[in-house]
Amino acid sequence: MPPPALSFPSFDPSTNPSSLANALRAINDDRHIPAPSAVRRPSADNSPYTKSLSPPIRQNSGSATPRVRPHATTLSIPGMTRSLVSPDGRIADRDVAAKLVIVMVGLPARGKSYITKKLRRYLAWQQHNTKIFNVGNRRRTQANVLSPTKPTAAKLVDTPTESGASTLNGGQSDSHTVNHSPSTPENPLVDHSAKFFDPKNSEAFKLREEMAIDTLDELLDYLLCGGGSVGILDATNSTIERRQHVFDHIKAREPKLGILFIESVCKNPELLEANMRLKLSGPDYKDKDPVKSLADFRERVKAYESAYVPLGDYEEDHAMQYIKMIDVGKKITHFGLEGFLSTGIATYLSSFNLSPRQIWITRHGQSIDNHFGKIGGDSELTDRGHVYSHVLYNFITKKRKEWLIDQKNKIAQSSFPPLPGDKSPPYPEINEELDGKNTCVWTSMLTRSIETAQHFEADEDYDVKHWEMLNELNAGKFEGLTYDEIARDHNDEYVRRQMDKLHYVYPGVGGEGYLQVISRLRDMVREIERIKDHLLIIGHRSVCRVLMAYFMDLTRDDIADLDMPLGVVYAIEPKPYGIEFHAYKYNEAEGWFDEIPDYKPQKTVDRHA
Amino acid sequence: MPPPALSFPSFDPSTNPSSLANALRAINDDRHIPAPSAVRRPSADNSPYTKSLSPPIRQNSGSATPRVRPHATTLSIPGMTRSLVSPDGRIADRDVAAKLVIVMVGLPARGKSYITKKLRRYLAWQQHNTKIFNVGNRRRTQANVLSPTKPTAAKLVDTPTESGASTLNGGQSDSHTVNHSPSTPENPLVDHSAKFFDPKNSEAFKLREEMAIDTLDELLDYLLCGGGSVGILDATNSTIERRQHVFDHIKAREPKLGILFIESVCKNPELLEANMRLKLSGPDYKDKDPVKSLADFRERVKAYESAYVPLGDYEEDHAMQYIKMIDVGKKITHFGLEGFLSTGIATYLSSFNLSPRQIWITRHGQSIDNHFGKIGGDSELTDRGHVYSHVLYNFITKKRKEWLIDQKNKIAQSSFPPLPGDKSPPYPEINEELDGKNTCVWTSMLTRSIETAQHFEADEDYDVKHWEMLNELNAGKFEGLTYDEIARDHNDEYVRRQMDKLHYVYPGVGGEGYLQVISRLRDMVREIERIKDHLLIIGHRSVCRVLMAYFMDLTRDDIADLDMPLGVVYAIEPKPYGIEFHAYKYNEAEGWFDEIPDYKPQKTVDRHA
């Protein structure tokens, strides 16, 4: 027998007499533009800060107060979207509901800092203002401060570095992590030995609690008053109490802010060993006896483990969105994701792998248009360009062999705990697949790029693919002109471009700017992260700049000015502690490449490009 | 004390004398192109079909035979990538490792068919050849065949329909599900009553096993000989034995094929009730007493439940990649994803939600270039175009109100089990949020589209956003010409386009074709699926065609010819059983829109467009 009908009230359409007649009247009213209705904003929920755990949310419970329509928070990406409230495509300050607090969760040495740094770099590259707020840094600072109950004033200073092992992200990878000025004298109450992390040490517990909330407040200041879009709270947050505390504290300040928990779990013992290897060269243990350090660190982890509760039922019962990563991308669970940032982050994290490999980036050989200084177009290589394509083939082929030998030697010499200066690759099991690695060669769909890959195309050892998204920035109606001609005949455009190359968009249908190129390369970066193969990209000036900006963590202001001449090959090697860069300059006379010693990204000297 | 060094052999670089001298010699050898090395393919692993469960795979175990380099299988998307082995951008037949068998897992009424149909539609729209192979269909066919041990010959015929409730996907949604010609007489051995699904019924068990493998063989024929890229095996596959059996059978035929398990789990009782509601109007229970049917169906589910083992430890120990969806996108776990198809599918499935809502699609009002018949460009609206923008605003505003009333009335009248003809929305809990729904208005970045949204922009009730990816197909160097001019001055191009509009790409840098538009709208479709808001898209001919192709499941051949005139508004309402379409034609004299009765997609009558 069917159950009784549900009890929603029936609505009467006659109370809404909007109709054809109305529509016609409106049109005849001299192009009446409808008056904007009053701005409706949900009133701030001033729920008091609470230490007690919340009862589960009944997601489907009827609510007594009528729900007020929030602003839609759909995809905002500079170069891809814009609106009245966001003319530049960024997340508008009005759209607080689209902003995101990421709360990291996980035991020490589970790769949290690796994930936060990479995630920040990716989001910043996609032009979302993003900063990491690290509780461990505050602890380390407090350990050096005389009065432990009065933390140093929160100050956003860009100084190196937070996490430990040297990071080679263009020498600036941590300028976006919020740190505190270090001072010298040690304080006995705050330290980094295992006993400070013992849950039974109540004084230390209180201190750790305060440090976490102080750090969180800095993060909220950044999102609510500092123009930030994403703030990442990098700490263990290993208990339900702490996480609920953090959650309540955020909601008390701004109920609309998105909150996303991201947990990193390591089940693979080899991965865990590798992470510990990195910790031992970090700030807490640097230059100390590795065997003693490992013992102390294991004690510290044990202290956390005793109270550790992974993300799960509690968060699901309380409708808290989360992502759980197990063994760096091997297994991922996500729950209740809301908003384009959270879903985009889940997709990006899914692409992670730690396979050792090389990524090479270079521009095509000299083209006929290059020779005449014309921009854009689709011309063929010159003879010099053809020779470049051949030297490039020989060079990469040789480098592949050397890399393989080098990797195997390093693995043969590695030890654990690591000896001082041991930079051996930390994932020996993955290295067994070294021999079977493919090398992909990706070009654009333009002739000069495809021709530069001709010798790779003829060798079955390489997989060559052409990509629409690698095409050069479209110069719209200036395609085929020289910069001198643009400066002479379209001086206003020329000047506008010189003033702000990043935001400049070439006139004419299809004309692009750097933000458009960043946006169209997003899928490619995810594909680069996903594959485990070696990769050579034969691109064009703007796409190479944008790709290098991702790997080198260039700031917004530097992307469009990065020096990116013909005839330089950049070698990128992702490592767990950062990225290693090398650059090689084409030696046309010798028919080979010379390494540029200690390569650092340079500002272009070309006054036009 | 450090453990002894690992025992990898040290390699000697001197055995690889490739060097500067070699490179120079190669260049001087009259532009020597390296000879392609012999094609290396892994030998087929003819492991015999086995019924026994496999021991866990030791992922890191050293292998005795040297690993042979496989072909790289990076992103293949027509319009975005191409290569020598895949000139059209599709997954090449050589790249079997990039092809995918999707094996569905889950109890009946868990939404498997909903997921498979939507996934197939998405993949086909992205130009990957995809077909569903449904074991239940074979069972239903066999129930009507005299000799149950001799299945009808496997035949790929395009006939409607497999799953049950009427689907309104442009009237052709199931033409891609493989079915079997129905005949009439009933057979007592194969039926759809609960006792056929009892695991203790050994004769029925054997029959079900055979049907599953026969269906799988059809699927493999499609992937290995029929040009398919993805085959979806739609069945319960609820035991480890069955899944291992399916896995072994695939590997025995082609060890390189990708295999992805996708499980659908419902924990939300309201969702489960809604799914059962759909089943009762499906082919097994259609026109039968709903109360008796529900009882029988619940028995059938119980029979499966007794032997059901969800995806988990077994698959992880055996390195089988999987995706587990809980409550349609609410919670997702994925393990060991390999390949761009699997990761892309995980991302797409993450975007699912069942929020009831409307999606409206229309072109901009008449522009000045429209008036003169010029293609492309960035002209303003004519006066007629401005009037259209106003009527559109009034119409949508009225339709929103009507929809809300209609939804609430339907909910008020729903019952369970459903009465005959009851098409009430099946997710009442979500309907509580109806009042708070936003309406988004998305335009391109082009003037005529932005101007058409002007009245929405002035109303705070709407969220207006402009999208780069909604811009009209770029006509390259033909921008601003009329079709007559192209036919007269560039007749060869004109004819090439008429011959194959889908693959035609306009000449000139930045020139696009339909495949490029499909590729750039992929992210937008995912964003449309993700949000729960109402949506009005004010686009252009080509982008509207491509978006409609996604929702209406148009075949490759029809996309570029879909009739898409100015002045028609399409209303799309996604439902659990398919998509409801309505179309409204602008009545310029009346200043309103008239519904086109029983709208079906039409071929364009415009001889040019």
Side-chain angles (χ1 to χ4, degrees), chain A residues 142-392:
Chain A
Q142 300 247 331
N144 296 331
V145 167
L146 281 173
S147 164
T149 51
K150 285 275 175 210
T152 51
K155 238 173 72 181
L156 308 187
V157 284
D158 286 357
T159 54
T161 181
E162 70 98 8
S163 89
S166 71
T167 312
L168 303 178
N169 286 354
Q172 56 158 314
S173 76
D174 278 296
S175 60
H176 306 275
T177 301
V178 177
N179 287 296
H180 310 272
S181 330
S183 50
T184 37
E186 289 262 329
N187 179 286
L189 256 175
V190 183
D191 65 11
H192 53 257
S193 72
K195 68 176 187 296
F196 183 72
F197 298 94
D198 184 348
K200 291 184 290 272
N201 181 344
S202 68
E203 203 154 356
F205 175 84
K206 203 179 140 222
L207 273 173
R208 285 188 288 129
E209 202 74 5
E210 272 175 21
M211 283 189 274
I213 293 301
D214 287 345
T215 310
L216 179 58
D217 272 326
E218 281 183 64
L219 183 156
L220 294 171
D221 290 343
Y222 171 64
L223 291 189
L224 300 173
C225 333
S229 293
V230 182
I232 306 177
L233 186 67
D234 187 10
T236 51
N237 297 309
S238 54
T239 66
I240 289 176
E241 287 75 11
R242 167 66 67 85
R243 297 196 290 263
Q244 183 68 52
H245 187 157
V246 165
F247 189 90
D248 292 340
H249 192 80
I250 297 166
K251 287 291 172 194
R253 274 196 66 179
E254 176 48 72
K256 281 179 286 179
L257 269 177
I259 303 173
L260 169 66
F261 291 98
I262 300 182
E263 181 177 27
S264 180
V265 178
C266 287
K267 294 196 167 169
N268 181 338
E270 278 156 331
L271 195 60
L272 195 56
E273 180 191 298
N275 285 338
M276 291 205 173
R277 176 190 294 272
L278 286 176
K279 268 289 176 199
L280 296 188
S281 54
D284 287 346
Y285 296 110
K286 213 169 185 170
D287 306 323
K288 294 188 178 169
D289 175 62
V291 178
K292 273 191 200 157
S293 296
L294 184 62
D296 180 85
F297 183 70
R298 284 192 163 137
E299 278 299 306
R300 190 205 288 190
V301 172
K302 216 176 272 175
Y304 273 109
E305 268 172 349
S306 65
Y308 177 51
V309 181
L311 294 176
D313 291 345
Y314 183 84
E315 283 71 21
E316 294 177 24
D317 290 343
H318 291 74
M320 295 171 173
Q321 63 175 340
Y322 73 76
I323 299 173
K324 188 196 283 266
M325 280 182 93
I326 297 169
D327 292 341
V328 194
K330 185 76 184 164
K331 180 176 175 182
I332 290 191
T333 294
H334 46 80
F335 172 80
L337 296 192
E338 295 273 352
F340 66 90
L341 279 179
S342 293
T343 49
I345 287 167
T347 302
Y348 179 63
L349 295 182
S350 305
S351 69
F352 281 18
N353 77 75
L354 294 167
S355 222
R357 61 190 178 119
Q358 289 188 304
I359 298 160
W360 298 84
I361 295 180
T362 188
R363 287 174 66 190
H364 54 83
Q366 190 197 50
S367 72
I368 292 168
D369 280 348
N370 287 145
H371 183 72
F372 292 105
K374 292 181 182 174
I375 65 172
D378 190 15
S379 65
E380 298 180 351
L381 292 186
T382 61
D383 283 350
R384 287 174 68 195
H386 279 288
V387 174
Y388 180 78
S389 81
H390 204 152
V391 176
L392 181 67

Side-chain angles (χ1 to χ4, degrees), chain A residues 3 10 18 24 32 69-70 75 82 330 332 334 336 390 398 409 416 437-438 465-466 522-523 527, chain B residues 3 10 18 32 69-70 74-75 82 330 332 334 336 390 398 409 416 437-438 466 522-523 527 590:
Chain A
S10 184
S18 170
L24 284 171
H32 152 85
R69 175 180 295 126
L75 197 61
R82 60 184 157 82
K330 185 76 184 164
I332 290 191
H334 46 80
H390 204 152
K398 177 160 184 288
N409 280 336
F416 186 76
K437 237 174 225 309
N438 291 298
K465 187 167 269 180
H466 317 302
R522 197 171 29 131
D523 279 353
E527 182 72 359
Chain B
S10 185
S18 170
H32 152 86
R69 176 179 294 125
T74 55
L75 197 60
R82 60 182 156 84
K330 184 76 185 164
I332 290 191
H334 46 82
H390 205 153
K398 178 160 184 290
N409 280 336
F416 185 75
K437 237 174 227 308
N438 291 298
H466 316 301
R522 196 171 30 132
D523 279 353
E527 182 72 359
E590 301 280 329

Side-chain angles (χ1 to χ4, degrees), chain B residues 582-599:
Chain B
H582 296 274
Y584 302 86
K585 197 171 161 49
Y586 182 42
N587 183 332
E588 202 166 1
E590 301 280 329
W592 201 243
F593 286 85
D594 304 323
E595 178 156 8
I596 302 172
D598 195 25
Y599 169 74

Side-chain angles (χ1 to χ4, degrees), chain B residues 215-413:
Chain B
T215 310
L216 179 58
D217 272 325
E218 281 184 66
L219 184 155
L220 294 172
D221 290 342
Y222 172 64
L223 292 190
L224 300 174
C225 334
S229 293
V230 182
I232 306 177
L233 186 67
D234 188 8
T236 51
N237 297 310
S238 54
T239 67
I240 289 176
E241 287 76 10
R242 166 68 64 87
R243 296 195 290 264
Q244 183 68 54
H245 188 156
V246 165
F247 189 90
D248 292 340
H249 193 79
I250 298 166
K251 288 291 173 194
R253 273 197 64 179
E254 175 49 72
K256 281 178 285 178
L257 269 177
I259 303 174
L260 170 65
F261 291 97
I262 300 183
E263 180 177 26
S264 180
V265 178
C266 287
K267 295 197 168 169
N268 181 337
E270 278 156 328
L271 195 59
L272 195 56
E273 180 190 299
N275 284 338
M276 291 205 174
R277 176 190 293 274
L278 287 177
K279 268 288 175 197
L280 297 187
S281 54
D284 287 344
Y285 297 109
K286 212 168 186 173
D287 306 324
K288 295 191 179 168
D289 176 62
V291 178
K292 273 191 201 155
S293 296
L294 184 62
D296 180 85
F297 183 69
R298 284 192 163 136
E299 278 299 306
R300 190 205 288 191
V301 172
K302 213 176 276 175
Y304 274 109
E305 268 171 348
S306 65
Y308 177 51
V309 180
L311 294 176
D313 292 344
Y314 183 82
E315 282 73 19
E316 294 177 25
D317 289 343
H318 292 74
M320 296 172 173
Q321 62 174 340
Y322 73 77
I323 300 173
K324 188 196 283 265
M325 282 183 91
I326 297 169
D327 291 341
V328 196
K330 184 76 185 164
K331 181 175 175 184
I332 290 191
T333 294
H334 46 82
F335 172 81
L337 296 192
E338 295 274 351
F340 66 91
L341 279 178
S342 293
T343 50
I345 287 167
T347 301
Y348 179 64
L349 295 182
S350 305
S351 69
F352 280 19
N353 77 74
L354 294 167
S355 224
R357 62 192 179 117
Q358 289 187 302
I359 298 161
W360 299 83
I361 295 179
T362 188
R363 288 174 66 189
H364 54 81
Q366 190 197 51
S367 73
I368 293 169
D369 280 348
N370 288 146
H371 183 72
F372 291 106
K374 292 181 183 175
I375 65 172
D378 190 15
S379 66
E380 298 180 350
L381 291 185
T382 61
D383 283 349
R384 287 175 70 195
H386 279 288
V387 174
Y388 179 78
S389 82
H390 205 153
V391 176
L392 181 67
Y393 168 79
N394 290 328
F395 179 70
I396 295 292
T397 303
K398 178 160 184 290
K399 280 287 173 183
R400 279 175 67 192
K401 287 182 190 147
E402 288 177 0
W403 182 86
L404 185 60
I405 292 161
D406 193 46
Q407 290 288 307
K408 296 203 169 186
N409 280 336
K410 274 187 187 160
I411 292 168
Q413 289 153 20

Side-chain angles (χ1 to χ4, degrees), chain B residues 41-95:
Chain B
R41 289 170 188 274
S43 59
D45 168 16
N46 291 314
S47 64
Y49 161 80
T50 170
K51 275 213 158 185
S52 65
L53 297 186
S54 305
I57 288 173
R58 283 186 49 87
Q59 283 176 256
N60 308 327
S61 65
S63 153
T65 51
R67 184 164 171 265
V68 179
R69 176 179 294 125
H71 296 293
T73 54
T74 55
L75 197 60
S76 291
I77 293 191
M80 190 152 83
T81 66
R82 60 182 156 84
S83 63
L84 276 189
V85 294
S86 167
D88 61 358
R90 298 225 171 84
I91 295 172
D93 275 335
R94 185 195 78 170
D95 290 340

